[in-house]
Amino acid sequence: MTDQVTILGATGSIGRNTLDVIFRHRERFQVWGLSAQSRVEKLAGIAVESGAKVVSIGAGRTREFRCALNGQQTDIRVVEGEAGLKHLAEMPESEVVVTGIVGAAGLVPTLSAIRAGKKVLIANKEPLVMMGPEIMREAALSGATVIPLDSEHNAVLQCLPVSFRDESLICPTNPSTSRLEEHGIEKVILTASGGPFLYFPTEELDNVTPEQAAAHPKWNMGKKISIDSATMMNKGLELIEACALFSIEPSRVEIVVHPQSIVHSLVEYSDGSLLAQMASPDMRIPIVNALGYPDRISSGSERLDVGQLGVLEFKEPDERHFPCLRLAREVAETGGTAPVILNAANEIAVDAFCNGRIRFTQISEFVDRTLQILPVLIRRDLETVLEVDLKTRRVTKDLIMSAPGTA
Ligand code: NDP
Ligand code: MG
């Protein structure tokens, strides 16, 4: 039997890697739906190549998409805007939804797929940062399966006992009850490459360009996550993501810098054992792991030659060099809407940096200042979260506009 797969954010880096894996296993997976925001031509090409039945595109772009199809695949259904995306995420014909949208824009479609009881393969980490525990609770209610695609979280999943995995993610029953102790799990250790500026003098970070920041030494990813990797906000977001996925307190999530990006994360057990997952830095590996779960199927990735690996380094991150890490840890401890504020302020600051309006080091400064201004609410239902997200964006934009030397 073939699984019908929907890829949200199909034109991005996660989308490209997911399609690569699906095309390697055409007997097992078929593309049902695809989404993009503005890259209409690219979406049309992918839709024709994959034989997708439905696509979702940004509001007002249906005609443009139909033109881009150039007479091919004319029976494809096109939906648009936020309502179209939500509809695509919950369509009954597709059992598997891959979330590859970037940023908070993925929150509503992720929730929709979860509420519809799908097997949801989550790459889009920002929704888990914004309301992860609520998403996991919704999954427990609807019977949805959650499998992380983020390489670190997928690595953790692979290192966890099967029974814990099944209870907490694959078929969540009561995700608010942490069963870590019962399984002898002490902590989760997330590895970080350290990004392009690991060895840069801290005082020179002021002058780095968006191109330098986006040039990740190990992974080929979309622009926003590449910049987040350079500030290490990505690891901060991943800390919050891990707390939600595995029902674990922030104090039990450790971050270590591992520049080789071979060990993708570890789980430490009470007997002193550490289980690690190792693989080439290739997103097709976690994607195929999640798509095929529980079967192991081929990813097409280059194999690691362990004899040639040489030295693998691990060290503590320097929070003075990477202040976003400290901010994210504080926010994880605070809870409530603090992660929503962190995430939205970061999205605005990263965008301003990419557009040349602020310097690299100002990303963490504006996130910090926004966090100091906005009150943290305990309530975290969807309506509240969307309101806080919107308000935060306004506040950070105003701060940037009114700062000396910014446009
Ligand atoms: P990309 O920027 O490469 O792709 C983003 C996708 O989202 C595109 O399809 C884009 O459409 C779509 N999109 C952008 N804005 C909107 C919007 N407002 N509404 C709907 N769709 C939108 O991102 P990545 O693939 O790198 O990352 C996707 C997510 O996965 C992120 O949350 C990231 O943190 C996470 N992730 C990515 C990894 C990677 O290797 N890339 C690894 C681990 C996690 P369009 O092309 O039309 O703009
Ligand atoms: Mg990651």
Side-chain angles (χ1 to χ4, degrees):
M1 217 189 80
T2 51
D3 282 343
Q4 299 289 329
V5 182
T6 291
I7 309 173
L8 307 180
T11 43
S13 154
I14 289 292
R16 182 186 67 238
N17 283 305
T18 306
L19 284 163
D20 182 287
V21 165
I22 288 176
F23 292 157
R24 283 171 197 279
H25 298 277
R26 287 185 194 266
E27 74 300 338
R28 221 177 141 142
F29 307 109
Q30 262 173 15
V31 173
W32 170 261
L34 300 170
S35 92
Q37 180 66 0
S38 52
R39 282 187 276 179
V40 172
E41 294 261 346
K42 191 165 182 186
L43 182 67
I46 297 171
V48 171
E49 191 186 1
S50 65
K53 304 288 184 292
V54 192
V55 298
S56 164
I57 191 83
R61 293 185 183 267
T62 298
R63 254 189 74 183
E64 203 186 328
F65 176 78
R66 289 245 174 248
C67 287
L69 279 178
N70 218 356
Q72 300 169 85
Q73 193 118 347
T74 46
D75 58 345
I76 194 165
R77 210 174 130 198
V78 186
V79 294
E80 61 167 56
E82 285 176 19
L85 189 55
K86 183 173 182 300
H87 175 65
L88 176 65
E90 57 200 15
M91 287 185 87
E93 293 87 345
S94 137
E95 305 91 28
V96 182
V97 175
V98 176
T99 72
I101 290 176
V102 59
L107 175 61
V108 170
T110 300
L111 258 179
S112 303
I114 294 273
R115 285 178 176 157
K118 312 268 179 221
K119 175 174 173 181
V120 189
L121 314 190
I122 302 190
N124 181 198
K125 66 192 79 182
E126 292 87 350
L128 284 173
V129 169
M130 297 166 81
M131 46 188 311
E134 293 74 14
I135 289 176
M136 296 308 289
R137 256 197 300 280
E138 293 273 2
L141 285 175
S142 69
T145 295
V146 176
I147 308 189
L149 292 189
D150 213 344
S151 56
E152 298 75 5
H153 305 74
N154 186 270
V156 169
L157 185 78
Q158 295 190 47
C159 298
L160 286 170
V162 173
S163 52
F164 180 89
R165 230 184 277 173
D166 288 352
E167 274 167 35
S168 52
L169 290 157
I170 308 304
C171 179
T173 44
N174 187 1
S176 59
T177 318
S178 173
R179 302 243 167 80
L180 299 173
E181 245 117 272
E182 231 174 81
H183 292 278
I185 300 161
E186 297 252 306
K187 63 180 171 190
V188 158
I189 303 170
L190 303 178
T191 55
S193 71
F197 304 136
L198 180 62
Y199 302 114
F200 242 66
T202 307
E203 39 314 333
E204 284 176 30
L205 288 178
D206 241 4
N207 301 318
V208 299
T209 63
E211 290 66 35
Q212 284 175 294
H216 198 281
K218 295 287 174 191
W219 300 92
N220 181 8
M221 310 180 286
K223 195 158 191 181
K224 195 254 176 187
I225 185 176
S226 298
I227 306 290
D228 283 348
S229 299
T231 60
M232 276 190 81
M233 179 61 95
N234 183 49
K235 213 48 56 180
L237 299 178
E238 289 182 356
L239 186 160
I240 304 170
E241 181 185 8
C243 294
L245 284 169
F246 308 116
S247 291
I248 185 167
E249 312 92 88
S251 59
R252 284 180 186 252
V253 183
E254 188 179 329
I255 292 170
V256 293
V257 173
H258 166 52
Q260 291 78 20
S261 295
I262 295 294
V263 174
H264 296 295
S265 278
L266 308 92
V267 176
E268 186 179 321
Y269 287 87
S270 45
D271 62 0
S273 298
L274 285 159
L275 297 193
Q277 186 258 0
M278 295 168 70
S280 304
D282 182 335
M283 279 310 291
R284 291 176 302 175
I285 297 175
I287 291 171
V288 91
N289 175 270
L291 270 175
Y293 190 91
D295 300 338
R296 298 268 180 185
I297 54 177
S298 86
S299 62
S301 99
E302 204 185 303
R303 291 299 158 92
L304 276 185
D305 183 346
V306 177
Q308 296 295 315
L309 280 181
V311 177
L312 297 182
E313 300 162 273
F314 299 91
K315 59 180 181 180
E316 272 181 14
D318 174 357
E319 290 191 356
R320 203 180 55 91
H321 195 64
F322 296 113
C324 286
L325 267 184
R326 176 183 53 79
L327 293 176
R329 192 172 279 286
E330 284 169 6
V331 154
E333 297 282 357
T334 307
T337 53
V340 183
I341 299 170
L342 175 94
N343 180 66
N346 181 56
E347 285 193 31
I348 295 297
V350 168
D351 190 56
F353 169 65
C354 289
N355 291 316
R357 294 203 304 278
I358 65 171
R359 295 190 306 276
F360 181 76
T361 46
Q362 288 180 299
I363 296 175
S364 63
E365 288 169 20
F366 282 110
V367 174
D368 197 359
R369 285 175 63 191
T370 309
L371 282 164
Q372 285 174 36
I373 291 173
L374 285 166
V376 173
L377 311 177
I378 312 263
R379 233 178 109 104
R380 220 163 49 172
D381 55 279
L382 181 60
E383 201 186 342
T384 309
V385 164
L386 292 175
E387 264 170 33
V388 172
D389 175 79
L390 205 67
K391 185 163 180 197
T392 305
R393 285 165 197 270
R394 263 189 247 122
V395 168
T396 313
K397 273 185 197 159
D398 287 350
L399 283 174
I400 291 174
M401 291 288 281
S402 57
T406 58

